[in-house]
Amino acid sequence: MLSRLTVCVSLASIFLGTESINIKWPSQLPFLQHGVHQNDLEKGDGMFRAMGPAPPRLGKQIPQEERDTWIVDCTSKLTKHECIKVVDGRNDTFWESIDVLPYNITIDLREVKNVNALSMRLLPDADLGGAVAGHKVYISRDKKAWKLVAFGTWFGDVEDKFAGFEPQLAQYLRLEATSATNGTEYIRIVDISEWGLTVNFPLVPVGVFIDPIGGKVISFSLYAHDRFGQGLTDYITLTATWDPTTYAISQRHIRETNHDMFCPGMVFDVNGRMVILGGETADKVSIYDPTKDEWTSVAPMKTARGYQGSITCATGKIFIVGGSWGPVGLDFGDRNGEIYDPEKDT
């Protein structure tokens, strides 16, 4: 089956210590400002600073004549859409593939530099499909020994995507796309920049816990992957589960509990089940059973609350106290303690 990979890559910033390489920079779009003090860089510390409309505050932009010397390789290319297009400084050209996933693109910087971040900018219609979802980022000094520095799954919208790792010396940068959004075989990218090993979740992890049986890391946000809002009726929770043994990240919408779990109380019961208490849906209680990989709704709390404290007692009962809000938004009234019995569901 023929497929295509459309990559409009503005390697918007491969950040290099006190230099920043900019490729195909669309001036009308925001980019990542990266702040690294030279002393911190020498210690291996890097940090993202902010999103903004101007060039990087630190470092100088590499001129196009230097970018024109770079060598770009890819695993597949279509005539007139070769992968060298990603460094030609133009916004109206792109790389297109004719094969099936996975794909990768490798950029030779022509000399060893400090690289420490990767950003990816998508095309305006990327939410319809064709955006990179599953991905891995590698660096190398000699194009023989490759080091995995970032991996994960990006959310399928049109927002810029980022991966970061500690500043490291490299001449070659490789991005591997292992899956695409909406099941498509073609992919569109717009920004790449670099910094040690990171896990890129497809949501903002508001809560995180470890499956005590399988060792998987389970994270959740709320009804959306990147925002919150009170008074909504769509009481669902988005989750992302990372398996450290396979690097795989799976996504799931928890609808069966009718519970938006934004900023709840969290505690394991004596059987190793995760109990999520309150949050955005402030009186709801949901339990995750790792032996069945199931979420269930149980008896609600007597006092609606979020941001509260909770602890499992020696008797197996759970004590809950405090909290910041109630059923009608922010409400800092009394939040007296209560006890939940998981065995009796009362």
Side-chain angles (χ1 to χ4, degrees):
M1 178 179 67
L2 291 180
S3 61
R4 68 191 185 97
L5 172 61
T6 304
V7 182
C8 291
V9 179
S10 316
L11 291 180
S13 340
I14 302 174
F15 284 104
L16 316 171
T18 57
E19 296 180 322
S20 62
I21 296 176
N22 294 286
I23 310 171
K24 293 184 63 166
W25 197 270
S27 59
Q28 74 277 17
L29 295 176
F31 81 104
L32 185 66
Q33 295 177 341
H34 181 79
V36 179
H37 190 277
Q38 183 63 32
N39 293 336
D40 293 333
L41 182 63
E42 293 171 355
K43 294 185 296 183
D45 298 326
M47 60 176 291
F48 282 121
R49 296 189 65 179
M51 292 293 295
R57 295 181 181 178
L58 298 181
K60 64 179 183 179
Q61 295 185 11
I62 304 302
Q64 181 61 42
E65 52 263 36
E66 181 173 337
R67 297 198 295 266
D68 289 343
T69 67
W70 294 352
I71 300 172
V72 184
D73 296 320
C74 51
T75 52
S76 177
K77 57 182 178 292
L78 186 66
T79 302
K80 296 184 179 180
H81 295 290
E82 297 82 2
C83 46
I84 193 62
K85 303 289 187 182
V86 302
V87 296
D88 64 6
R90 298 173 56 183
N91 293 323
D92 59 349
T93 60
F94 54 87
W95 161 44
E96 184 169 339
S97 168
I98 58 173
D99 294 312
V100 297
L101 289 162
Y103 304 115
N104 69 60
I105 182 169
T106 303
I107 297 177
D108 179 359
L109 305 177
R110 302 301 299 272
E111 63 181 14
V112 175
K113 296 178 179 290
N114 275 309
V115 293
N116 65 340
L118 180 149
S119 67
M120 183 180 74
R121 180 165 295 134
L122 306 177
L123 297 179
D125 62 348
D127 56 332
L128 302 179
V132 176
H135 61 276
K136 297 179 181 179
V137 179
Y138 299 84
I139 59 173
S140 174
R141 292 194 186 190
D142 57 9
K143 209 177 181 181
K144 296 179 181 178
W146 291 92
K147 181 179 180 179
L148 176 66
V149 291
F151 67 93
T153 301
W154 281 309
F155 193 82
D157 59 9
V158 299
E159 300 298 323
D160 289 3
K161 309 303 177 187
F162 302 99
F165 46 92
E166 297 173 355
Q168 300 180 59
L169 294 174
Q171 181 174 334
Y172 302 91
L173 166 70
R174 174 174 291 171
L175 172 65
E176 179 179 349
T178 58
S179 67
T181 56
N182 289 343
T184 59
E185 290 286 351
Y186 65 91
I187 295 173
R188 299 166 177 172
I189 308 173
V190 180
D191 267 0
I192 301 181
S193 6
E194 292 206 33
W195 54 292
L197 188 60
T198 63
V199 182
N200 305 311
F201 280 86
L203 49 74
V204 177
V206 173
V208 180
F209 62 93
I210 297 177
D211 171 357
I213 296 176
K216 295 180 181 179
V217 179
I218 301 172
S219 67
F220 60 88
S221 55
L222 51 153
Y223 76 94
H225 76 286
D226 62 350
R227 67 202 64 185
F228 68 94
Q230 296 177 339
L232 299 176
T233 58
D234 193 12
Y235 296 133
I236 64 174
T237 297
L238 277 60
T239 71
T241 300
W242 170 45
D243 186 341
T245 63
T246 64
Y247 291 166
I249 296 179
S250 59
Q251 302 179 64
R252 182 175 176 183
H253 288 197
I254 309 304
R255 304 179 185 275
E256 54 268 36
T257 62
N258 198 35
H259 186 182
D260 186 334
M261 305 178 195
F262 175 66
C263 293
M266 300 172 60
V267 65
F268 282 107
D269 70 7
V270 293
N271 296 312
R273 301 181 304 172
M274 171 52 62
V275 183
I276 308 291
L277 306 114
E280 181 67 24
T281 317
D283 63 340
K284 295 287 289 186
V285 179
S286 298
I287 294 181
Y288 174 73
D289 187 341
T291 65
K292 301 177 182 179
D293 190 25
E294 289 182 354
W295 289 87
T296 57
S297 181
V298 296
M301 290 187 290
K302 298 183 182 300
T303 301
R305 59 184 96 210
Y307 284 133
Q308 72 275 13
S310 52
I311 189 170
T312 298
C313 304
T315 61
K317 298 179 180 180
I318 297 173
F319 177 63
I320 308 117
V321 67
S324 295
W325 63 63
V328 290
L330 291 176
D331 178 2
F332 297 96
D334 292 337
R335 291 290 180 270
N336 294 329
E338 60 182 291
I339 293 177
Y340 172 67
D341 187 340
E343 293 297 323
K344 298 180 179 180
D345 190 23
T346 56

